Amino acid sequence: MIKRILVFTLVVVLLFAIALTVHQQFISQPLSFPLWQVYLFHAIASLIVYASIEGICSIMPNNAGYAYLAFMFLKLGLFLLIFKNAVFENDSLTQAERYALVLPLFLFLTTEAIAVGKLLNSK
């Protein structure tokens, strides 16, 4: 359990560093929000979700899938609460800003889903 969490942490930290660096290289105009905060939120949230699913899976393996679904809704809700100024108050988001909000979400969500899927299939 601890080994899988540490491996996932390493993958998320590497993904955070590489994806943020590459993403910042492609941005030609300034964004209305700090890009690193969006990436950091998704990285930390992914680590929390995966560690929680590991714990839930060891206690109640039949309900781990439902817990993962609940964590996804909580993660999206927290993202909207934290970044409400960037999402709701700015009526004219540029295309680059839209991509900057959605790309990290799908990147970390995919990584998280693959890890949780492997975990649930192994149990």
Side-chain angles (χ1 to χ4, degrees), residues 16 19-20 23 35-43 103-104 107-108:
F16 170 80
L20 180 61
H23 197 158
L35 184 62
W36 69 270
Q37 288 181 357
V38 175
Y39 273 92
L40 186 64
F41 170 81
H42 287 296
L103 185 67
L107 191 62
F108 285 100

Side-chain angles (χ1 to χ4, degrees), residues 29-33 84-99 101:
Q29 58 191 6
L31 301 176
S32 63
F33 52 88
K84 67 181 174 188
N85 294 339
V87 176
F88 294 122
E89 290 181 5
N90 191 355
D91 291 334
S92 59
L93 285 175
T94 64
Q95 196 71 22
E97 289 174 332
R98 290 178 186 165
Y99 286 136
L101 288 172

Side-chain angles (χ1 to χ4, degrees), residues 36-107:
W36 69 270
Q37 288 181 357
V38 175
Y39 273 92
L40 186 64
F41 170 81
H42 287 296
I44 291 172
S46 291
L47 290 172
I48 292 171
V49 168
Y50 183 76
S52 300
I53 296 300
E54 275 277 358
I56 291 170
C57 195
S58 66
I59 298 170
M60 307 178 290
N62 293 337
N63 295 332
Y66 296 117
Y68 179 65
L69 184 63
F71 277 117
M72 286 301 93
F73 286 120
L74 284 173
K75 181 179 173 180
L76 290 175
L78 280 174
F79 179 78
L80 291 176
L81 281 174
I82 292 171
F83 293 98
K84 67 181 174 188
N85 294 339
V87 176
F88 294 122
E89 290 181 5
N90 191 355
D91 291 334
S92 59
L93 285 175
T94 64
Q95 196 71 22
E97 289 174 332
R98 290 178 186 165
Y99 286 136
L101 288 172
V102 175
L103 185 67
L105 169 72
F106 286 123
L107 191 62

Side-chain angles (χ1 to χ4, degrees), residues 23-30 96:
H23 197 158
Q24 286 177 336
Q25 295 299 318
F26 285 106
I27 294 177
S28 60
Q29 58 191 6

